[in-house]
Amino acid sequence: MADEDLESIGRHCQFEYCGQLDFLPFRCESCRSTFCLEHRSESAHRCARAGEWARRRNNTNNQNAGLATEKPTIYNSDQCSHLSCKTLINTLTDPAVRCPNCNHQYCLKHRLREEHDCAKMTPLGARPGNQGSPNETLRSMFAKVRTWGKDTSKAATTTLTPKPKPNSPAARAVQLNTMKRSAKGDAGVPADKRLYLHVVGTSDTQASDPPRGDFFYDSRWKVGRVLDDAARRLHVENLNNRVGEDGRLRLFHVESGEFLEFSDAIGMEKVKQGNTIVMLRGAGVMLGKE
């Protein structure tokens, strides 16, 4: 093959004093010249426009970024309203879909009514009908919760013959043993750290028969963590990290008649095995006025 034919296939390295014929030459995107394998880098051929290609690429990326919104974070983005979903919505990759029934916003996965249990959701912005003021509603709930602990004790002892006296040590032991047989919880909690509680959910319409169940928790868990777990298991809407006091859930300890603080351990002295805790929504508003 003639030399002219070889040169038509490859390219000579344009680095000074080199000139090597390379059949697979490299092109520098900064100075637009071609080089051999040895001199392909900007430093190797002492590029007169070193870094220009990188600056052009950065400018292009910055222009594209200017068309987009700020990078989503948990502080500047909304979260899907599905109870178990943590997807950030209202972003470029995950647009929000508002449900026409419950008025909440969801990610694409939970946008359908069937996917987010729309029938169980209270429409956003709606108020319970014929319930009076928020304080009257909460006071009626307090009247109810004080009876739930007693009802639980009665139900646990109705099958005994002879029947033990109410609130006697024997009755409480029977109640606790019955609770342990059906209670659910995290299997990873050590047996000696398990605190068995009867948990009553809440309803924004103050239904006469709210969800309830027997569960066990690690006595070292904070009250806030217990509330999150209980709300998830009883399918109670928990938006504590996104709403004000009028929509936040609080845990009410029936036996002591007090609200439990989020930062306290659930195994505090006042909470005993077999006790009842109730989720109340908006109680913080009334507490703040007292």
Side-chain angles (χ1 to χ4, degrees):
M1 183 179 294
D3 293 342
E4 292 79 5
D5 294 332
L6 289 176
E7 292 184 2
S8 65
I9 296 176
R11 292 288 184 275
H12 289 278
C13 176
Q14 293 183 275
F15 180 59
E16 188 179 9
Y17 309 120
C18 181
Q20 178 179 340
L21 178 63
D22 198 315
F23 296 107
L24 294 173
F26 295 86
R27 181 187 181 189
C28 175
E29 294 301 325
S30 291
C31 63
R32 308 291 185 178
S33 300
T34 56
F35 300 93
C36 64
L37 176 63
E38 183 180 353
H39 299 114
R40 70 185 186 280
S41 66
E42 291 183 353
S43 59
H45 66 258
R46 301 171 187 173
C47 185
R49 297 184 177 181
E52 184 172 313
W53 73 273
R55 288 190 290 271
R56 288 199 304 267
R57 186 181 63 177
N58 289 338
N59 290 336
T60 302
N61 291 340
N62 291 337
Q63 291 174 2
N64 293 335
L67 301 176
T69 58
E70 184 179 357
K71 183 179 179 180
T73 68
I74 194 171
Y75 301 106
N76 61 17
S77 299
D78 299 320
Q79 190 171 309
C80 175
S81 295
H82 191 278
L83 296 179
S84 61
C85 183
K86 303 298 182 182
T87 301
L88 295 178
I89 54 178
N90 287 324
T91 66
L92 288 179
T93 56
D94 291 288
V97 179
R98 185 178 295 278
C99 175
N101 275 16
C102 64
N103 205 30
H104 290 277
Q105 296 188 80
Y106 300 92
C107 65
L108 294 178
K109 180 180 178 181
H110 298 113
R111 69 188 185 279
L112 301 179
R113 299 177 185 177
E114 300 79 10
E115 295 295 335
H116 62 260
D117 292 331
C118 191
K120 300 179 181 180
M121 300 289 290
T122 300
L124 187 64
R127 292 184 177 274
N130 302 322
Q131 294 295 321
S133 67
N135 284 357
E136 291 174 353
T137 301
L138 286 170
R139 289 191 181 96
S140 67
M141 283 296 293
F142 279 124
K144 292 178 182 179
V145 298
R146 293 184 182 279
T147 65
W148 289 337
K150 298 177 182 179
D151 293 342
T152 304
S153 299
K154 292 180 180 179
T157 57
T158 50
T159 57
L160 290 180
T161 303
K163 296 181 180 179
K165 295 181 180 180
N167 296 325
S168 66
R172 290 194 294 269
V174 171
Q175 177 188 355
L176 182 58
N177 288 333
T178 302
M179 183 181 294
K180 287 182 177 181
R181 286 195 293 269
S182 60
K184 299 179 181 178
D186 187 346
V189 177
D192 61 331
K193 297 295 182 182
R194 293 183 180 184
L195 178 63
Y196 292 84
L197 299 172
H198 183 68
V199 185
V200 181
T202 187
S203 171
D204 290 331
T205 59
Q206 308 306 331
S208 58
D209 188 21
R212 62 181 69 194
D214 294 330
F215 305 101
F216 63 84
Y217 303 100
D218 192 317
S219 59
R220 298 165 295 183
W221 284 8
K222 299 297 183 182
V223 170
R225 181 176 178 180
V226 172
L227 187 147
D228 291 341
D229 185 85
R232 178 177 60 83
R233 293 181 184 275
L234 293 179
H235 303 288
V236 175
E237 185 179 31
N238 181 9
L239 302 176
N240 280 11
N241 62 333
R242 285 175 265 172
V243 297
E245 287 296 339
D246 57 337
R248 299 188 78 188
L249 290 173
R250 295 289 301 271
L251 280 185
F252 181 76
H253 183 225
V254 173
E255 282 73 15
S256 67
E258 299 177 9
F259 281 95
L260 303 179
E261 295 297 329
F262 293 118
S263 59
D264 290 343
I266 190 64
M268 64 181 71
E269 184 176 352
K270 68 175 69 173
V271 182
K272 306 293 184 182
Q273 296 282 6
N275 281 181
T276 299
I277 55 176
V278 182
M279 284 180 278
L280 294 178
R281 191 184 305 280
V285 175
M286 188 171 72
L287 291 175
K289 295 180 180 180
E290 293 179 350

